[in-house]
């Protein structure tokens, strides 16, 4: 994996970025499990804050209102990390593209990991998720619009501190590579009975 930041030993937050279908949530969960950290999906926090699902926010209030809520949610997560929380965070596909969010993350100096794959593979994964789990994505329309948006955003994603290729790879392998590149090992917590969790 290509890395632009030095290894840190006291890291408490990792942000996964990338386009729709990049696997930010599933790789995030696998990485959190690998490290014994907590996992958070920023879209879930937005839904809790707003009391509405993401597609409803887009439909009833528009994308600009969604972006406002997304920025507020990201500010809250960063405040919690600064206060001592330890977390792997999956961002929505547009979050890192917004300049105000990218600036917040840069200032906070947590690693941002871009999960890269081809537009065709991302499209296939999104279609599969829509068919299997009914996942609704307001910005998922047709393959041409999808490719165009991917091309426009890719240069923003490449500003992340790390880039990892995910095409055709198992989640655990990707998670292990991220942990290794960032110099992180699993947190072991001693229970009251003296067992390692
Ligand atoms: C968006 C991606 C979605 C969600 C919202 C907007 C985007 O997240 O945040 O629908 O702008 O690409 P996923 O990348 O998890 O689908």
């Amino acid at each position: 994996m290509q890395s632009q930041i030095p290894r840190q030993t006291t890291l408490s937050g990792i942000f996964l970025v990338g386009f729709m279908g990049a696997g930010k949530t599933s790789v995030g969960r696998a990485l959190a499990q690998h490290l014994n950290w907590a996992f958070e999906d920023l879209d879930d926090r937005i839904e809790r804050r707003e009391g509405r699902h993401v597609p409803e926010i887009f439909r009833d209030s528009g994308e600009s209102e969604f972006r406002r809520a997304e920025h507020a949610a990201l500010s809250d997560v960063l405040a919690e990390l600064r206060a001592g929380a330890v977390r792997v965070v999956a961002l929505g596909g547009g979050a890192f593209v917004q300049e105000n969010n990218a600036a917040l993350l840069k200032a906070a100096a947590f690693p941002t990991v871009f999960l890269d794959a081809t537009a065709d593979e991302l499209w296939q994964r999104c279609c599969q998720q829509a068919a299997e789990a009914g996942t609704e994505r307001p910005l998922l329309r047709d393959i041409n619009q999808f490719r165009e948006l991917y091309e426009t955003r890719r240069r923003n994603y490449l500003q992340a501190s790390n880039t990892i290729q995910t095409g055709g790879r198992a989640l655990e392998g990707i998670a292990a590579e991220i942990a290794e590149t960032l110099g992180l090992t699993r947190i072991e917590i001693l229970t009251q009975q003296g067992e390692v969790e």
Side-chain angles (χ1 to χ4, degrees), residues 67 71 74 94-106 156:
R67 297 299 171 200
H71 183 67
L74 178 62
F96 193 63
V97 177
Q98 305 298 312
E99 273 177 25
N100 56 356
N101 295 334
L104 266 190
L105 286 161
K106 196 168 180 196
N156 297 87

Side-chain angles (χ1 to χ4, degrees), residues 20 24 43 54 58 66-67 92-94 137-139 153:
M20 292 174 267
K24 302 176 295 286
D43 280 344
V54 169
F58 267 80
F66 173 77
R67 297 299 171 200
R137 289 184 161 105
L139 295 179
R153 286 179 170 183

Side-chain angles (χ1 to χ4, degrees), residues 35-38 186-192 194-197:
L35 296 173
N36 208 7
W37 286 22
R186 184 179 172 80
I187 296 178
E188 293 194 334
I189 300 164
L190 277 186
T191 63
Q192 284 183 334
E195 290 156 359
V196 175
E197 270 187 352

